[in-house]
Amino acid sequence: MVAIPEADLKTSLGALTLGGMICTGLSGIVAMQTVLYFRLFSHDRSSTKIQVAGVFVLDFLHSCMIAVGNYMYLVDHFGDGEITDRVFWAVGISIALTAILTVIVHLFFALRLFKLSKGNYWITIPIAGLAVARVAAALVTTIELIRLGSFHDFGERFRWVFTLGLVLSSVVDFLITGGLCYYLRRSRTGTGRFDHILDSVTLYTVENGLLTSVTTVVSLIFWLVRPHVLIYLGLHFAISKLYANSFLASMNARKILRAQSQSQSTSGHRLPVIFASRGMRHSNADQLNLNARVQITVDKTVDYAADDVPESVSSDRKARQAPSV
């Protein structure tokens, strides 16, 4: 154990507390989006449903690990002036869960990029390789943190491993976001209303990639500049939640974007594959009430000149006009 200044101790415990509170709120959003998904897309493929359920379960376990870790720091070892140098098993496992959630989301968007680029292996395979390498670095970090039991000792021996994991995560975010934006821009056709949908998808992609990458980069900066203060760890708590919400938001955004795409069906364009799903079994026409029956009644009026009315028609008219007794 190393001596920790009182100011750093308070800052570290405050960062862990705030990070735990933010993660609780983000976990609530993850749960809400999961319920929304199963209500909106009950006819998706089973594999897609399993993926969504898996993300929710991993996020829930991550929240449990953060709660356990904060309880150990703030309650079990209350008053310990060197507690922020200790690494509890729950904190180590939370880092591994973050990496697993991250790679699931990275591979999900890498697959979307693969489809959008029409099978470009030169882009997607390096991205997938970097994503897997990021998980490997995180698993090594988890094992060594739990084994050493000290942030200081870990920083002395394996600082580069944790740094490598954060760098790889940021690089993969940048490559996926840049690749998706590039191919979405190439899909523009000059059709104003359809291009508006592409602009919405592009903006959505940039916002999601920017949010996760900025949080990761800020966490990396604090890890490099102030490794003895746990601000980076409080930020790292939120990373997995942002990835989970990014994944679920992209799944649920299909509802709105699909409706917009359907409204452009007369132009022959379809929704970009980044938000498409082959598991949808219901026709969009049912959702938009396009199958409503229309009944048209045509009344035809024929005027005859008096001189041209046949005798049989004239007799029939007189019979109808005769008053009944």
Side-chain angles (χ1 to χ4, degrees), residues 34 60 76 100 155 172-173 181 185 189 209 241 248 279 291 302 306:
T34 303
F60 178 76
D76 278 353
I100 296 173
V172 173
D173 281 340
C181 290
R185 299 296 292 179
T189 60
K241 312 297 183 184
L248 291 170
N291 289 333
V302 180

Side-chain angles (χ1 to χ4, degrees), residues 157-316:
R157 303 180 187 182
F158 299 99
R159 186 178 185 182
W160 64 273
V161 178
F162 189 66
T163 303
L164 178 63
L166 294 177
V167 170
L168 289 176
S169 182
S170 300
V171 171
V172 173
D173 281 340
F174 174 78
L175 292 176
I176 290 177
T177 302
L180 290 175
C181 290
Y182 172 74
Y183 283 104
L184 286 172
R185 299 296 292 179
R186 284 188 59 182
S187 300
R188 295 175 65 90
T189 60
T191 304
R193 300 180 69 181
F194 179 71
D195 286 349
H196 175 70
I197 297 176
L198 288 179
D199 291 339
S200 299
V201 176
T202 303
L203 180 61
Y204 173 86
T205 303
V206 171
E207 288 176 346
N208 278 275
L210 189 64
L211 184 61
T212 54
S213 59
V214 166
T215 305
T216 304
V217 169
V218 173
S219 178
L220 174 62
I221 291 173
F222 277 105
W223 163 249
L224 295 176
V225 176
R226 303 189 68 185
H228 52 283
V229 181
L230 301 184
I231 297 177
Y232 67 90
L233 187 59
L235 291 169
H236 195 272
F237 284 167
I239 291 176
S240 69
K241 312 297 183 184
L242 296 177
Y243 278 109
N245 276 298
S246 174
F247 167 75
L248 291 170
S250 68
M251 300 297 291
N252 293 332
R254 292 177 296 164
K255 182 72 174 180
I256 298 175
L257 293 174
R258 198 181 294 275
Q260 294 181 8
S261 178
Q262 184 67 29
S263 67
Q264 313 302 326
S265 59
T266 56
S267 65
H269 301 301
R270 301 180 65 183
L271 187 66
V273 71
I274 182 176
F275 286 105
S277 176
R278 290 177 296 176
M280 294 298 293
R281 301 174 187 172
H282 276 291
S283 171
N284 290 322
D286 296 335
Q287 299 176 5
L288 297 175
N289 297 323
L290 296 180
N291 289 333
R293 296 182 178 178
V294 179
Q295 182 176 358
I296 301 175
T297 302
V298 179
D299 293 330
K300 183 178 181 180
T301 303
V302 180
D303 295 329
Y304 293 94
D307 296 337
D308 297 334
V309 177
E311 184 177 353
S312 59
V313 176
S314 177
S315 300
D316 183 63

